[in-house]
């Protein structure tokens, strides 16, 4: 039997500054898979001590993103996850655990450790003015060395402690020990950092809140974390944390433990740039430039039929600033309004972006697990095994196959994964998944078309959808009013007017038959069309295309029986009548 001390405890510790980045999703996935593989515990802790940048909405969004991915936490904030079958599962929230799990609710946890360090002169209050800090930084720059704050040689500890006790706000800094810091990274190997490179960093800010560096160390100790997985952007922070862990002790004298670390590679775009939320702004900005958009009214001028409610909440001056400044970001919905007006798909970056674009969580998880890891097995055809589910990931995941170099995000591959995953769903599963997705992310199609009508075409479209969002495009012909679409002139010419208007004659004959059809369903419509083909001696193309042009405006639509059934009899007939009038006029 393994002793409880050996049990694996991993955690995911997001800062709630926005939706979960896909890279954060991968960190969470690997931490979760590792805990599950070892029968351990997976914790979720919200690192919200940066009051200015954190928000409750963002915390909630991150919990939703994780739950959607199917990553469940054993301990962490309480969250009711809705399951596809309509039931709910409560994640986290167990009062017997090591919570609370929002760092902002843990403030009293940190101070005793701050005082413990202060008493031993392992930490000290610092009263530097912003000016003196700037001067130190400039001096370092002049001497061409990296600035690492150190306690001045003439520092008067007693005076500083007295000022602190008198209530003068000040940051508290950790006194970095002189010896080098060594630790082992499960992915990168042994790492040694000279103490010259490490500063006396702040552990408690002047506002009384702990810094990330301090809270993370205390919480990981108190929560018993055995393995810390996080992005490589934190690699420079880890020596600081290890230095703290080396000196810190509990009140009873028990020293802090040093967990195992695994820093995961950066996720890059195809051009090697870091995959960042700003990529969305960048894509929209480039398209605006291409279209000559320079002001908010320019956007309105192109907005025909698009809503700009969120975009209009942005001050026109701010929009202009955004156009000219690549560090600026537009609010998510405003950016989406803009994207639909200028006709681009924004690149998905956050987990929620993928969700809203209609990806299935299982294909996102499968694809993301390959970013910096692979199972090292071959499939039946002898190719690298890449398609698997989370049960397989849990069975196989270990650090020895986690890569050291940046992983490139290949959208085409994710799309292929998703298209295959959609094609593998049964018709019923597809409908349930689509409806659940549309309820949140495509209300308009769900309300206008409804699940019953989508059911009529599910067999025909399932294999063709790259994402659930594609349903909208397939049924778009039915989303407009009966007089709300244009007839493609070329199609009208070819399928209706050519051969002395034979297409129009077919339409008239079909309209009469459709009107008299007892049941207006896919089967009956198909049988009617077959019957008409046999009777008239016309090929199916000569029957189907005129009907398509009449009812959808063009020559591409789902199979005709389904197309007409979705529209229903009154609309079908109204559309045919309008088309005949149009072609004759
Ligand atoms: N709150 C940190 C972040 O979101 C997590 C760092 C860690 O996992 O230690 O980047």
């Amino acid at each position: 039997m393994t002793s409880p001390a050996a049990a694996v405890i991993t955690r995911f510790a997001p800062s709630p500054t926005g939706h979960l980045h896909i890279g954060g999703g991968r960190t969470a996935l690997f931490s979760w898979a590792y805990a599950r593989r070892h029968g351990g515990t997976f914790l979720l802790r919200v690192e919200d001590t940066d009051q200015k940048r954190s928000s409750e909405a963002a915390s909630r969004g991150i919990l939703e993103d994780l739950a959607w991915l199917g990553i469940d936490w054993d301990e962490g904030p309480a969250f009711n996850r809705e399951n596809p079958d309509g039931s709910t599962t409560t994640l986290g929230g167990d009062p017997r655990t090591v919570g609370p799990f929002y760092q902002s609710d843990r403030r009293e946890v940190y101070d005793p450790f701050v005082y413990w360090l202060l008493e031993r002169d392992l930490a000290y209050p610092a009263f530097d003015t912003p000016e003196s800090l700037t001067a130190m930084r400039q001096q370092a720059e002049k001497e061409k060395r990296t600035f690492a704050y150190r306690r001045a040689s003439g520092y008067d500890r007693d005076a500083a402690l007295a000022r602190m006790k008198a209530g003068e706000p000040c940051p508290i800094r950790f006194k970095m020990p002189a010896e080098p810091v060594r630790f082992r990274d499960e992915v990168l190997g042994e790492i040694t950092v000279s103490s010259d490179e490490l500063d006396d960093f702040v552990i408690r800010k002047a506002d009384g809140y702990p810094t990330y560096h301090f809270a993370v160390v205390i919480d990981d100790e108190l929560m018993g974390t055995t393995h810390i997985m996080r992005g490589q952007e934190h690699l420079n922070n880890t020596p600081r944390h290890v230095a703290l862990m080396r000196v810190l002790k509990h009140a009873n004298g028990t020293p802090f433990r040093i967990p195992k670390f695994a820093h995961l590679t950066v996720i890059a775009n195809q051009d090697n740039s870091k995959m960042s939320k700003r990529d969305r702004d960048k894509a929209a900005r480039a398209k605006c430039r291409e279209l000559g958009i320079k002001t908010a009214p320019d956007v309105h001028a192109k907005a025909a039929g698009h809503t700009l409610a969120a975009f209009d909440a942005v001050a026109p001056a701010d929009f202009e600033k955004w156009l000219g400044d690549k560090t600026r970001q537009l609010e998510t919905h405003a950016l989406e309004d803009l994207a639909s007006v200028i006709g681009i798909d924004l690149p998905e970056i956050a987990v929620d972006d993928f969700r809203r674009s209609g990806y299935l969580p299982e294909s996102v998880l499968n694809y993301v697990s390959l970013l910096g890891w692979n199972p090292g097995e071959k499939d039946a055809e002898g190719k690298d095994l890449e398609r698997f589910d989370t049960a397989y990931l849990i069975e196989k995941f270990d650090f020895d196959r986690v890569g050291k170099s940046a992983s490139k995000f290949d959208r085409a591959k994710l799309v292929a994964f998703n298209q295959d995953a959609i094609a593998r769903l049964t018709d019923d599963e597809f409908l349930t998944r689509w409806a659940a997705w549309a309820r949140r992310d495509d209300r308009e199609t769900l309300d206008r078309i409804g699940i019953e009508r989508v059911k009529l075409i599910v067999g025909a479209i399932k294999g063709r959808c790259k994402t659930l969002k594609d349903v909208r495009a397939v049924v778009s012909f039915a989303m407009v009013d009966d007089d709300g679409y244009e007839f493609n002139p070329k199609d009208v010419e070819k399928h209706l007017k050519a051969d002395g208007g034979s297409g129009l004659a077919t339409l008239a004959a079909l309209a009469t038959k459709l009107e008299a059809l007892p049941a207006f369903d896919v089967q009956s419509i198909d049988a009617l069309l077959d019957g008409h083909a046999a009777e008239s001696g016309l090929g199916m193309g000569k029957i189907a295309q005129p009907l398509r042009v009449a009812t959808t405006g063009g020559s591409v639509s789902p199979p005709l029986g389904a197309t007409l059934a979705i529209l229903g009899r009154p609309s079908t007939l109204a559309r045919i009548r309008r088309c005949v009038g149009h072609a004759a006029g």
Side-chain angles (χ1 to χ4, degrees):
M1 220 181 90
T2 43
S3 69
V8 166
I9 300 181
T10 64
R11 58 33 164 207
F12 180 57
S15 302
T17 54
H19 267 293
L20 182 61
H21 186 281
I22 194 74
R26 180 192 57 178
T27 304
L29 175 66
F30 286 178
S31 305
W32 172 83
Y34 193 78
R36 292 285 171 267
R37 173 166 191 212
H38 294 278
T41 302
F42 174 63
L43 300 171
L44 180 61
R45 177 176 74 230
V46 180
E47 304 208 320
D48 58 350
T49 53
D50 187 339
Q51 293 286 291
K52 281 196 284 294
R53 299 182 60 224
S54 304
S55 78
E56 230 181 285
S59 299
R60 166 116 211 127
I62 291 175
L63 304 188
E64 271 171 17
D65 296 337
L66 289 169
W68 177 73
L69 283 171
I71 297 177
D72 51 347
W73 51 100
D74 305 305
E75 298 181 28
F79 182 83
N80 289 328
R81 183 187 66 199
E82 261 183 56
N83 302 317
D85 65 2
S87 63
T88 44
T89 308
T90 302
L91 304 177
D94 184 339
R96 291 165 304 158
T97 66
V98 290
F101 295 97
Y102 286 91
Q103 284 184 330
S104 56
D105 291 338
R106 299 175 61 77
R107 284 186 59 183
E108 68 276 19
V109 165
Y110 309 110
D111 270 352
F113 291 102
V114 173
Y115 289 112
W116 188 91
L117 290 167
L118 279 170
E119 274 161 30
R120 287 158 185 78
D121 199 23
L122 295 167
Y124 60 93
F127 287 94
D128 307 278
T129 58
E131 294 75 35
S132 71
L133 285 172
T134 312
M136 285 183 231
R137 221 166 268 132
Q138 284 168 347
Q139 184 63 27
E141 237 166 68
K142 227 193 263 162
E143 292 168 21
K144 299 207 176 345
R145 59 181 166 83
T146 10
F147 172 61
Y149 182 101
R150 284 310 170 94
R151 184 154 94 174
S153 48
Y155 179 82
D156 183 343
R157 179 168 180 246
D158 292 338
L161 286 174
R163 280 171 78 179
M164 186 188 90
K165 280 195 187 115
E168 197 174 325
C170 63
I172 298 188
R173 289 179 179 269
F174 175 58
K175 197 154 148 254
M176 182 58 73
E179 49 294 349
V181 177
R182 287 200 183 84
F183 64 94
R184 208 191 118 67
D185 184 275
E186 299 298 309
V187 176
L188 306 168
E190 296 297 330
I191 295 187
T192 306
V193 183
S194 144
S195 70
D196 298 342
E197 291 173 42
L198 301 168
D199 55 348
D200 288 2
F201 59 94
V202 174
I203 58 173
R204 195 178 78 167
K205 294 173 271 185
D207 64 6
Y209 273 90
T211 56
Y212 155 67
H213 296 308
F214 195 64
V216 77
V217 167
I218 304 298
D219 286 345
D220 279 329
E221 170 67 17
L222 296 183
M223 295 180 177
T225 308
T226 58
H227 294 74
I228 293 181
M229 273 161 261
R230 58 186 170 207
Q232 249 175 39
E233 67 274 18
H234 285 292
L235 188 60
N236 286 337
N237 296 330
T238 304
R240 295 188 173 88
H241 303 173
V242 172
L244 260 177
M245 289 165 184
R246 290 248 146 91
V247 303
L248 273 164
K249 289 194 171 86
H250 293 265
N252 66 6
T254 315
F256 274 37
R257 294 153 294 184
I258 315 260
K260 294 204 155 125
F261 294 97
H263 290 90
L264 307 172
T265 56
V266 166
I267 299 180
N269 291 310
Q270 291 297 314
D271 65 0
N272 280 328
S273 60
K274 189 170 176 238
M275 206 170 151
S276 135
K277 237 188 126 187
R278 287 190 182 157
D279 297 347
R280 291 165 75 77
D281 296 79
K282 192 171 151 193
R285 207 179 275 118
K287 187 71 187 183
C288 283
R289 208 167 301 132
E290 188 191 315
L291 297 175
I293 289 177
K294 294 196 173 73
T295 62
D298 290 347
V299 176
H300 275 267
K302 293 196 186 305
H306 295 280
T307 52
L308 281 171
F311 180 80
D312 286 340
V314 176
D318 285 342
F319 174 64
E320 282 171 38
K321 277 190 208 144
W322 172 86
L323 277 171
D325 179 353
K326 58 178 192 254
T327 66
R328 282 180 177 258
Q329 285 181 259
L330 279 187
E331 188 276 325
T332 309
H333 297 95
L335 191 62
E336 283 176 358
D337 280 0
L338 176 64
S340 66
V341 170
I342 61 180
I344 59 163
D345 288 327
L346 296 170
E348 296 89 357
I349 307 291
V351 169
D352 187 60
D353 300 335
F354 291 97
R355 178 179 187 178
R356 295 200 301 163
S357 287
Y359 286 89
L360 302 181
E362 60 265 39
S363 28
V364 175
L365 279 184
N366 183 175
Y367 179 67
V368 159
S369 62
L370 291 169
L371 294 169
W373 180 78
N374 69 73
E377 291 191 351
K378 301 283 177 202
D379 62 17
E381 290 162 27
K383 295 202 196 105
D384 289 342
L385 181 86
E386 291 191 320
R387 310 286 178 103
F388 46 79
D389 59 13
T390 43
Y392 178 87
L393 174 71
I394 289 168
E395 192 191 313
K396 299 285 173 186
F397 182 78
D398 212 338
F399 299 120
D400 56 355
R401 301 202 63 85
V402 175
K404 292 186 187 158
S405 46
S407 347
K408 275 197 191 170
F409 198 91
D410 181 348
R411 282 175 194 282
K413 193 161 171 172
L414 171 60
V415 169
F417 276 32
N418 202 57
Q419 185 159 14
D420 289 352
I422 289 180
R424 279 197 304 271
L425 299 174
T426 64
D427 289 359
D428 279 348
E429 281 167 349
F430 178 89
L431 285 169
T432 312
R433 303 282 291 261
W434 176 77
W437 172 81
R439 224 171 281 131
R440 176 183 184 264
D441 292 313
D442 191 3
R443 219 45 254 190
E444 200 187 340
T445 307
L446 185 63
D447 289 348
R448 272 198 88 136
I449 306 294
I451 187 152
E452 286 307 316
R453 293 207 282 162
V454 173
K455 201 171 179 174
L456 300 173
I457 50 164
V458 62
I461 65 169
K462 210 179 60 188
R464 284 193 271 156
C465 283
K466 293 190 169 87
T467 69
L468 297 172
K469 199 180 190 171
D470 290 349
V471 171
R472 187 189 179 93
V474 176
V475 301
S476 60
F477 67 89
M479 302 263 291
V480 292
D481 293 339
D482 292 336
D483 57 0
Y485 59 98
E486 314 254 309
F487 298 105
N488 180 316
K490 275 201 194 120
D491 287 328
V492 169
E493 205 46 57
K494 183 167 167 203
H495 300 298
L496 299 176
K497 292 192 174 168
D499 297 336
S502 70
L504 281 170
T506 301
L507 274 186
L510 287 170
T512 313
K513 289 188 173 178
L514 286 166
E515 197 160 8
L517 190 66
F520 204 79
D521 56 35
V522 179
Q523 263 184 336
S524 316
I525 295 168
D526 282 341
L528 180 150
L529 298 176
D530 286 342
H532 189 76
E535 221 173 83
S536 63
L538 290 170
M540 196 35 106
K542 295 254 181 258
I543 294 175
Q545 292 309 62
L547 262 182
R548 266 208 178 91
V549 176
T551 53
T552 71
S555 55
V556 186
S557 84
L560 208 55
T563 302
L564 302 192
I566 283 198
L567 288 171
R569 190 188 330 251
S571 279
T572 299
L573 295 174
R575 288 178 179 212
I576 293 174
R577 271 196 299 277
R578 184 169 80 99
C579 178
V580 171
H582 168 87

